[in-house]
Amino acid sequence: MRLLRGVGIACCLALAGCVTVPDGDGVAIGDLSASAEAAATATLQARERRLQALPALSFSGRVALSGGSRGGGTGRIEWRQSGDRYQVTLSAPVSRQSWRLSGDAGSATIEGIAGGPRSDTDVERLLREATGFEIPVGALAAWAGGARADAAEFGPARLEFTGDGRLARIEQDGWTIDYLGWAEQDPGDSESSDGRPPLQLPDRINAARGEAKVRLAIDAWSWAPETP
């Protein structure tokens, strides 16, 4: 479940024949020109390389979940990812309820639910049984960063770009992730210190698979490593 594990050659092959312009804002659906496709691909791959090189990637914001056995819900989300390790906290200010999910590639534990903490080797199953919601924890950190998830684990990704080459959609593992807004970030990495452009990261994302929907509005990003 590493943040950007395997975004190299295996994922790059998934670009072939999958670059289209999404239907919206007056942009007709159709293939990008060869030069536009090359530029869009290069921008995506550069973002993936920079994200992969960061010691950690965290974001905070608002989340809306729907389509689960419990209907839906909204609240605050805090997500921290460092390699395979993750910690996700969801809280509902009105009800003052919250739960925390933590784990790595081999196991996950959820706390703050009725009956006490629960653990499982399958994080999606754990969340579904404990909360009633479908949340793609294994891939969401990568998708939230505007990158493809591990192709070996989640399959190839189909991509769509806007007419000006900005990533508009990722389709992977049955999920459709739409990117509705972007913001410039300065992670202080070697590329930004060399005077290269700031890192472009999403700030509004909709993810859906069937009736399950996850909507994110990201307020802040962070990449500081954990302190002892």
Side-chain angles (χ1 to χ4, degrees), residues 10-117:
C11 280
C12 294
L13 293 176
L15 284 167
C18 295
V19 181
T20 61
V21 178
D23 186 12
D25 297 329
V27 180
I29 291 178
D31 292 338
L32 291 172
S33 66
S35 60
E37 178 179 339
T41 301
T43 297
L44 172 65
Q45 292 172 340
R47 179 167 56 250
E48 290 176 336
R49 287 194 299 270
R50 291 181 72 178
L51 290 172
Q52 190 175 30
L54 294 174
L57 188 67
S58 306
F59 64 83
S60 60
R62 292 151 289 159
V63 63
L65 305 171
S66 60
S69 62
R70 300 185 184 179
T74 61
R76 297 286 306 175
I77 184 170
E78 305 280 343
W79 189 301
R80 182 175 186 82
Q81 188 92 20
S82 181
D84 284 330
R85 297 198 60 79
Y86 56 89
Q87 180 173 296
V88 185
T89 302
L90 272 77
S91 58
V94 175
S95 65
R96 297 185 180 180
Q97 294 181 328
S98 66
W99 50 262
R100 185 176 70 174
L101 177 74
S102 59
D104 53 29
S107 64
T109 299
I110 187 169
E111 302 170 84
I113 59 173

Side-chain angles (χ1 to χ4, degrees), residues 102-178:
S102 59
D104 53 29
S107 64
T109 299
I110 187 169
E111 302 170 84
I113 59 173
R118 296 172 62 177
S119 299
D120 199 325
T121 56
D122 186 319
V123 62
E124 275 81 15
R125 180 174 61 204
L126 174 64
L127 275 174
R128 184 171 57 251
E129 294 179 352
T131 71
F133 291 113
E134 294 277 352
I135 304 176
V137 176
L140 192 56
W143 293 338
R148 294 159 288 181
D150 179 13
E153 185 174 353
F154 299 99
R158 182 180 183 277
L159 305 172
E160 294 184 4
F161 296 92
T162 60
D164 59 2
R166 176 165 287 182
L167 180 64
R169 175 176 290 177
I170 293 177
E171 295 178 4
Q172 192 172 19
D173 194 34
W175 286 86
T176 297
I177 304 91
D178 289 314

Side-chain angles (χ1 to χ4, degrees), residues 5 23 49-50 56 70 148 180 186 192 199 212 216 218 220:
R5 184 180 58 205
D23 186 12
R49 287 194 299 270
R50 291 181 72 178
R70 300 185 184 179
R148 294 159 288 181
L180 309 179
D186 183 3
S192 59
L199 184 60
L216 290 174
I218 297 173

